[in-house]
Amino acid sequence: MSNSEAPYERFTAAARELADLGHAESLLHWDQETCMPRRGSGPRARSLGTLAGLVHERLTAPDLVELVESLDGEGLSGDARVNVRELKRHQDRALRIPRELVVELTRTESLAHEAWVEAREKSEFVLFQPWLEKIVDLKRQEAHAVGFTGSVYNALLDHFEPHARVEEIEPLLGELRRRLVPLVEEILGSEAAAQREDLLEREYDVALQESFGRRVLADLGFDMEAGRLDVSVHPFCSGSHPGDVRLTTRYAAGQLTSALFGIIHEAGHGLYEQGLPAEAEGLPVGGSVSLGIHESQSRTWENAVGRSREFWEHYLPHLAECFPAQLEGVGVDRFYAFVNRVERSLIRVEADEMTYDLHILLRFELEKALIEGELDVGDLPGVWNERMDSYLGIRPGSDAEGVLQDIHWSMGLIGYFPTYTLGNLYGAQFHRRACADLGDLPGQIRRGEFSGLLGWMRENIHSRGSRLTASELVQEVTGEPLRVDYLMEYLEGKYRPLYGLD
Amino acid sequence: MSNSEAPYERFTAAARELADLGHAESLLHWDQETCMPRRGSGPRARSLGTLAGLVHERLTAPDLVELVESLDGEGLSGDARVNVRELKRHQDRALRIPRELVVELTRTESLAHEAWVEAREKSEFVLFQPWLEKIVDLKRQEAHAVGFTGSVYNALLDHFEPHARVEEIEPLLGELRRRLVPLVEEILGSEAAAQREDLLEREYDVALQESFGRRVLADLGFDMEAGRLDVSVHPFCSGSHPGDVRLTTRYAAGQLTSALFGIIHEAGHGLYEQGLPAEAEGLPVGGSVSLGIHESQSRTWENAVGRSREFWEHYLPHLAECFPAQLEGVGVDRFYAFVNRVERSLIRVEADEMTYDLHILLRFELEKALIEGELDVGDLPGVWNERMDSYLGIRPGSDAEGVLQDIHWSMGLIGYFPTYTLGNLYGAQFHRRACADLGDLPGQIRRGEFSGLLGWMRENIHSRGSRLTASELVQEVTGEPLRVDYLMEYLEGKYRPLYGLD
């Protein structure tokens, strides 16, 4: 940093340098999942490690710490205030976690991940247990180093959902569980549920799936001059800046809709990234709010739009042109029911819109209990299985189908899961507001017009960057704090008729 | 750098960090040419600028300078000596060029490049002239800052062909010109030359071209688990390390062989990169020797192998299976003559093997005269056209076809051109030695066996990394210094029979 510049200009130069390094990290990660040849992995990991080390070094450099401290005390306003606030949040966290703990976490997560892979293959939780115990212990140390008020879990949650507090979200998530469990039970006990069939187990040419997916992607408003669509084992969205946003999906010839809904889901993330304020590119204010707000976008486009009756009124004829033999005689009613079938499933990533949150709530409750010391790792499989039974009426036959199914804990991602359900809650509340503002949104979707909804998202959410926190944003956009009612009303309104309930 | 480690370990850690940053730069460049969406260019340029700045900062950090200085004085041996020598060469250069000059060069090159694009479009050299004058002036300043003995041009040449000196290469390049000009004249004046026809102006499906190219690439020994082949506007090879080497080519339906020879050429570079010593990955000794040695590999595989009669005895039947209608009745003799036709061409990148070096020699002579102050930029187009006439018997009808055709000077790449012809000279001398060592190399190629030649290259050139300088390598491998005879003997031996000359 040259000291001849004004303090805030020195600050933005440092922030932009961090963004430039983040851009490189992001591209190296994207390439690793999409393009990198097999033998490239060793040096790639080292290069990513070096970049992460440099980011840490620059972020915590004494002169930047001093600069942020002095700017923070100056009472800045507007974007400058947000930029300093957000960078300071990252800086504080980086400064507080001792280097030895970072090294120990990185090392443990890498070994725990290997142990998890083996444990899942053999379906033996005991192989993973000592590693998860160590992870829980280290994450508690991390939380204490970072600092918190209230629950120790807050320090971990804040990393993924900034400014969220367990004392505020737990009552909402508890209410959601109490209202969702009986609805799911009612649906799954219905006559219609007993008759559901998987009518689409046929072969669907992958190249045709891809061209149909690209057509939908363009219709939704995703700008291919500022993005890409590729293939990876696990679908994701990687955005360095609004001009370069990359989505991935995966195709399987035996499945008609999984790649497509993957594309629409990632497009939700990607539209958000493309809509972030270009004028603030490279500065914290130009970033997204939180994982939860990100997920509100992907879930809304995937479910409220992509799994709506109107969407398929528009697209089913086009899909049937791609696959005339396979879809012969399949009408909108049948197709709509198919893409919205509710099932007692063991595996979260395969769960439907109705049961998905129960999978998440279970994980949130268990990881919180682990971190707060109210649950021993050794008791985890039993509690998992009991709770699956009580929430979904189904019991895993093995650890692989139960407690070992997710990668998150093996990578030290504790505090991440609730952002999925927060995303559904934010999404339903935004969607309700958008419907009110836009008038006939269903009619627009029926005509294949998505610019109304996208414009609404751009104006109310995307273009704001990270100027507001998640709860400020919800209040500002919808006029009230986050509530469970909108998600429940959406689910009741959609699924009761589908399953022939009152 | 932690001071608790031994000095040489601190040195290698710093060198590896520089390699890790180089890996990131390399991937960002590759992505820019192959994958990046159009709107990604601004932030990409900034990220690359930041990485380049960091490399400069780390390379010239006072403690690394001191460390290199002290290690250099310690009389190290083996790989350690090479690592320190090579890093010190880069460090010295980076330290000697003043920051203001770097900034001025970067700015000027960017603007000069824009001016060149416009000048070439309009075919008006005067639009580019002031920018080239400025570039020449700044490159002279750079040379004086770097320091040199003998010609000022040496300081620029050394950047691309380390340890080469114009006093040594100029006599060789002069001799080559004196021997090549009359041979080209004789060939182009022959009866056979008057009869040459472009018999392959048909349509060749691009997907079939690609699959044929991939087959050849695999046959040559390029490891697809450690590399890729993609498409870009200008073909190139990008190698971060031996486990990740990426080639590009470009396909045109109207041209049968240009994509294929592009692939073979880049494969020559790629095989070199894949064969560099893996045990020294991330350290200077694990790198290639010079651009000239790199070009010796690409030219040997493209021309001595890929344009040989034996190569097409093996591959023509396979190619004819891909394109049976287009190649009906085309025998090996006709095809071999077609891929080796000699022409008076104005454009370097389209020139054949026989005339290519004359295009290069002209550029070398002119850029050296510019830098040494013996030629004014304003006189360049006239001198260019005269010399084209005297070397190749052809005169550009416009500046676009003449002095404005190459991008190099607009980007400040002065001292780069001679590495192409040095590559041909190195390549011919290595190839002569390989033929002697391997016994029946033509027979192996006729059977589609390339492992003999690749093994020879691996052992004698690739696995040595940068342990020897280019001239040491030539002496070590061939037992004598670089000579013009081998390239001339190769060309005479191949083209005299082809053109029916004694």
Side-chain angles (χ1 to χ4, degrees):
Chain A
M1 259 180 285
S2 153
N3 275 301
S4 61
E5 288 170 89
Y8 185 66
E9 276 62 51
R10 282 161 54 211
F11 167 85
T12 54
R16 285 216 166 82
E17 187 187 46
L18 287 165
D20 290 342
L21 292 171
H23 174 132
E25 284 185 287
S26 165
L27 187 75
L28 265 64
H29 278 293
W30 172 83
D31 180 81
Q32 183 168 298
E33 303 301 322
T34 54
C35 293
M36 190 183 77
R38 196 182 59 78
R39 291 184 47 207
S41 57
R44 176 60 50 87
R46 214 185 55 208
S47 185
L48 279 165
T50 290
L51 287 171
L54 270 171
V55 166
H56 189 273
E57 176 194 307
R58 305 302 251 212
L59 181 61
T60 60
D63 52 355
L64 184 59
V65 173
E66 199 181 302
L67 182 60
V68 166
E69 194 64 43
S70 89
L71 286 168
D72 191 42
E74 265 184 32
L76 296 169
S77 62
D79 284 1
R81 186 187 59 81
V82 177
N83 283 328
V84 172
R85 176 193 80 196
E86 288 302 303
L87 194 129
K88 186 172 191 323
R89 206 167 53 77
H90 288 113
Q91 194 179 58
D92 284 348
R93 194 172 184 98
L95 285 167
R96 285 174 185 174
I97 306 178
R99 196 182 149 70
E100 310 79 61
L101 182 57
V102 172
V103 171
E104 184 66 2
L105 269 164
T106 307
R107 203 184 66 85
T108 304
E109 284 158 12
S110 168
L111 295 168
H113 179 69
E114 279 178 46
W116 169 77
V117 169
E118 192 195 344
R120 193 170 75 148
E121 262 172 32
K122 298 185 173 160
S123 197
E124 285 185 43
F125 180 74
V126 290
L127 297 176
F128 181 49
Q129 183 177 330
W131 291 104
L132 185 54
E133 281 166 352
K134 177 121 196 188
I135 293 255
V136 168
D137 177 51
L138 291 170
K139 295 305 281 189
R140 287 171 57 89
Q141 289 183 39
E142 179 186 321
H144 282 279
V146 169
F148 55 88
T149 59
S151 168
V152 58
Y153 185 81
N154 280 331
L156 304 180
L157 176 63
D158 185 77
H159 188 47
F160 303 103
E161 194 64 17
H163 313 288
R165 295 178 51 77
V166 73
E167 292 77 10
E168 284 160 23
I169 69 167
E170 198 170 29
L172 290 170
L173 301 184
E175 180 191 344
L176 179 62
R177 175 171 53 74
R178 284 188 299 277
R179 294 172 67 175
L180 207 47
V181 168
L183 178 61
V184 167
E185 208 166 320
E186 196 179 353
I187 285 173
L188 289 172
S190 70
E191 265 182 61
Q195 291 161 12
R196 286 279 176 261
E197 27 150 28
D198 188 349
L199 50 75
L200 297 172
E201 280 192 351
R202 289 154 202 171
E203 289 284 303
Y204 298 89
D205 180 77
V206 161
L208 287 173
Q209 283 193 45
E210 184 184 339
S211 70
F212 185 79
R214 286 184 182 272
R215 178 201 170 143
V216 172
L217 192 55
D219 289 350
L220 297 181
F222 186 80
D223 179 1
M224 272 294 178
E225 298 234 305
R228 295 178 56 87
L229 172 65
D230 296 275
V231 169
S232 67
V233 175
H234 301 286
F236 65 95
C237 167
S238 154
S240 298
H241 58 84
D244 191 349
V245 179
R246 303 181 181 202
L247 319 178
T248 72
T249 191
R250 55 180 165 192
Y251 301 94
Q255 294 182 326
L256 174 56
T257 54
S258 88
L260 178 65
F261 285 120
I263 290 173
I264 301 175
H265 179 96
E266 301 307 333
H269 289 300
L271 290 168
Y272 186 11
E273 292 284 327
Q274 289 189 339
L276 288 168
E279 75 280 5
E281 191 272 307
L283 294 173
V285 77
S288 55
V289 177
S290 70
L291 287 187
I293 297 298
H294 236 302
E295 200 70 8
S296 78
Q297 300 303 294
S298 56
R299 295 274 159 185
T300 297
W301 288 99
E302 178 189 351
N303 292 327
V305 176
R307 292 185 206 269
S308 70
R309 201 180 190 297
E310 296 77 23
F311 187 88
W312 288 107
E313 285 174 29
H314 178 72
Y315 279 113
L316 186 59
H318 301 298
L319 189 63
E321 279 171 30
C322 296
F323 304 110
Q326 296 95 320
L327 293 179
E328 199 186 345
V330 176
V332 170
D333 285 340
R334 211 166 145 206
F335 197 86
Y336 176 56
F338 164 70
V339 300
N340 288 294
R341 64 204 186 285
V342 179
E343 287 168 327
R344 288 187 218 280
S345 64
L346 290 166
I347 306 298
R348 174 184 61 88
V349 296
E350 296 165 7
D352 52 79
E353 180 184 20
M354 173 63 78
T355 57
Y356 189 84
D357 288 313
L358 294 177
H359 290 268
I360 296 301
L361 295 171
L362 174 151
R363 286 155 177 77
F364 162 66
E365 292 162 7
L366 297 186
E367 70 177 17
K368 176 172 168 288
L370 287 173
I371 288 295
E372 289 180 346
E374 292 177 5
L375 174 65
D376 286 339
V377 170
D379 296 331
L380 195 56
V383 179
W384 181 290
N385 294 349
E386 273 164 38
R387 223 165 279 200
M388 275 299 285
D389 200 5
S390 105
Y391 294 175
L392 276 156
I394 189 171
R395 249 190 133 82
S398 69
D399 290 341
E401 289 179 337
V403 67
L404 288 175
Q405 70 183 265
D406 291 309
I407 198 174
H408 299 60
W409 292 339
S410 79
M411 296 178 75
L413 297 174
I414 296 181
Y416 189 116
F417 278 123
T419 68
Y420 291 114
T421 288
L422 287 171
N424 279 330
L425 292 171
Y426 296 139
Q429 194 155 329
F430 291 144
H431 183 243
R432 163 72 155 249
R433 182 77 227 173
C435 285
D437 288 350
L438 290 168
D440 187 26
L441 180 56
Q444 295 174 16
I445 294 176
R446 192 178 292 117
R447 293 189 299 275
E449 293 169 15
F450 305 101
S451 57
L453 181 57
L454 180 57
W456 189 93
M457 294 291 195
R458 289 272 192 263
E459 183 185 338
N460 288 283
I461 297 168
H462 305 175
S463 65
R464 286 194 151 112
S466 63
R467 289 179 183 112
L468 304 176
T469 68
S471 55
E472 288 168 353
L473 183 67
V474 171
Q475 181 71 45
E476 173 75 20
V477 174
T478 70
E480 57 185 332
L482 188 63
R483 289 172 56 185
V484 170
D485 304 81
Y486 303 114
L487 178 57
M488 286 307 302
E489 282 169 22
Y490 162 79
L491 292 171
E492 300 249 4
K494 175 173 179 178
Y495 285 89
R496 286 195 169 276
L498 252 172
Y499 279 79
L501 303 172
D502 53 299
Chain B
M1 262 182 282
S2 152
N3 276 302
S4 61
E5 288 171 90
Y8 186 65
E9 277 61 52
R10 282 162 54 212
F11 168 84
T12 54
R16 284 216 167 82
E17 188 187 47
L18 287 165
D20 290 342
L21 292 172
H23 173 131
E25 285 184 288
S26 166
L27 187 75
L28 266 64
H29 277 295
W30 172 83
D31 181 81
Q32 183 168 299
E33 302 302 321
T34 55
C35 292
M36 189 183 78
R38 195 182 61 78
R39 290 185 47 207
S41 57
R44 176 60 52 85
R46 215 186 52 209
S47 185
L48 278 166
T50 290
L51 286 170
L54 271 170
V55 166
H56 189 273
E57 177 193 306
R58 305 303 251 211
L59 181 62
T60 59
D63 51 356
L64 184 59
V65 173
E66 201 180 300
L67 182 60
V68 166
E69 193 65 42
S70 89
L71 286 168
D72 191 43
E74 266 183 30
L76 296 169
S77 62
D79 283 1
R81 185 187 60 82
V82 177
N83 283 328
V84 172
R85 176 194 78 195
E86 288 301 303
L87 194 129
K88 186 173 190 324
R89 206 166 55 77
H90 288 113
Q91 197 179 57
D92 284 348
R93 195 173 183 97
L95 285 167
R96 286 175 184 173
I97 306 178
R99 196 182 148 71
E100 309 80 62
L101 182 56
V102 172
V103 171
E104 183 66 2
L105 268 164
T106 307
R107 203 184 66 85
T108 304
E109 284 158 14
S110 168
L111 296 169
H113 178 71
E114 279 179 47
W116 169 77
V117 169
E118 193 197 342
R120 193 169 75 149
E121 263 172 31
K122 298 186 174 160
S123 197
E124 285 186 42
F125 180 73
V126 289
L127 296 176
F128 181 48
Q129 181 177 333
W131 292 104
L132 185 54
E133 282 166 352
K134 178 120 195 189
I135 293 254
V136 169
D137 178 50
L138 291 170
K139 294 306 279 189
R140 288 171 57 90
Q141 290 182 38
E142 178 186 321
H144 282 278
V146 168
F148 56 88
T149 58
S151 169
V152 58
Y153 186 79
N154 281 330
L156 304 180
L157 176 63
D158 185 78
H159 188 48
F160 303 103
E161 195 64 16
H163 312 289
R165 296 178 50 76
V166 73
E167 292 76 10
E168 284 160 23
I169 68 167
E170 197 170 30
L172 290 169
L173 301 184
E175 180 190 343
L176 178 63
R177 175 171 53 76
R178 283 188 301 277
R179 293 172 68 174
L180 207 47
V181 168
L183 177 61
V184 166
E185 207 166 320
E186 198 179 351
I187 285 171
L188 290 172
S190 70
E191 264 183 61
Q195 291 161 13
R196 288 278 177 261
E197 27 148 29
D198 189 349
L199 49 76
L200 297 171
E201 279 192 352
R202 287 153 204 171
E203 287 285 302
Y204 299 89
D205 180 76
V206 161
L208 287 173
Q209 283 193 44
E210 184 184 340
S211 70
F212 185 79
R214 286 184 181 272
R215 177 202 171 144
V216 172
L217 193 55
D219 290 349
L220 297 181
F222 186 80
D223 179 2
M224 272 294 178
E225 298 232 308
R228 296 178 55 88
L229 172 65
D230 295 276
V231 169
S232 67
V233 175
H234 301 285
F236 65 95
C237 167
S238 153
S240 298
H241 57 84
D244 192 347
V245 178
R246 305 182 179 200
L247 319 178
T248 71
T249 191
R250 56 181 165 191
Y251 302 95
Q255 294 183 324
L256 173 57
T257 54
S258 88
L260 178 66
F261 286 119
I263 290 173
I264 302 176
H265 180 96
E266 300 308 332
H269 289 300
L271 291 167
Y272 185 14
E273 291 284 325
Q274 289 188 338
L276 287 168
E279 76 280 4
E281 190 272 307
L283 294 175
V285 77
S288 55
V289 177
S290 70
L291 287 187
I293 297 297
H294 236 301
E295 199 71 9
S296 79
Q297 301 301 296
S298 56
R299 295 275 159 182
T300 296
W301 288 100
E302 179 189 352
N303 292 327
V305 176
R307 293 186 206 267
S308 70
R309 201 180 190 293
E310 296 77 22
F311 187 88
W312 289 106
E313 284 174 30
H314 177 73
Y315 279 113
L316 186 58
H318 301 298
L319 190 63
E321 279 171 30
C322 296
F323 303 109
Q326 296 95 321
L327 293 179
E328 199 187 344
V330 176
V332 171
D333 284 340
R334 211 165 143 207
F335 198 84
Y336 175 55
F338 165 68
V339 298
N340 288 294
R341 64 203 184 284
V342 180
E343 288 167 327
R344 288 185 219 280
S345 65
L346 290 166
I347 306 298
R348 174 184 62 86
V349 297
E350 295 164 8
D352 52 82
E353 181 184 19
M354 173 63 77
T355 57
Y356 189 83
D357 288 311
L358 293 177
H359 290 268
I360 296 302
L361 295 171
L362 174 151
R363 285 156 178 77
F364 162 66
E365 292 162 9
L366 297 187
E367 71 179 17
K368 177 173 166 289
L370 287 174
I371 289 295
E372 289 180 344
E374 292 176 6
L375 174 66
D376 287 338
V377 170
D379 295 332
L380 195 56
V383 179
W384 179 291
N385 294 349
E386 273 164 40
R387 223 166 279 200
M388 277 298 284
D389 200 4
S390 106
Y391 294 174
L392 277 156
I394 189 171
R395 250 193 132 81
S398 69
D399 291 341
E401 289 179 334
V403 67
L404 288 174
Q405 70 182 266
D406 293 308
I407 198 174
H408 298 59
W409 293 338
S410 80
M411 298 178 73
L413 297 175
I414 296 181
Y416 188 115
F417 278 122
T419 68
Y420 292 114
T421 288
L422 288 170
N424 280 330
L425 292 171
Y426 297 139
Q429 194 155 331
F430 291 144
H431 183 244
R432 163 73 157 248
R433 182 77 225 174
C435 286
D437 289 351
L438 289 168
D440 187 25
L441 180 57
Q444 294 174 18
I445 293 175
R446 192 178 292 116
R447 293 190 297 277
E449 293 168 16
F450 304 101
S451 57
L453 181 58
L454 181 57
W456 189 93
M457 294 290 195
R458 288 271 193 263
E459 183 186 336
N460 288 284
I461 297 168
H462 306 175
S463 65
R464 287 194 151 111
S466 64
R467 289 180 183 111
L468 303 176
T469 67
S471 54
E472 287 167 355
L473 183 68
V474 171
Q475 180 72 43
E476 173 74 21
V477 173
T478 68
E480 55 183 334
L482 188 63
R483 291 173 54 186
V484 169
D485 304 83
Y486 302 115
L487 179 57
M488 286 308 301
E489 282 169 23
Y490 161 80
L491 292 172
E492 300 249 5
K494 176 172 179 179
Y495 285 90
R496 285 195 170 275
L498 252 171
Y499 279 78
L501 305 172
D502 50 299

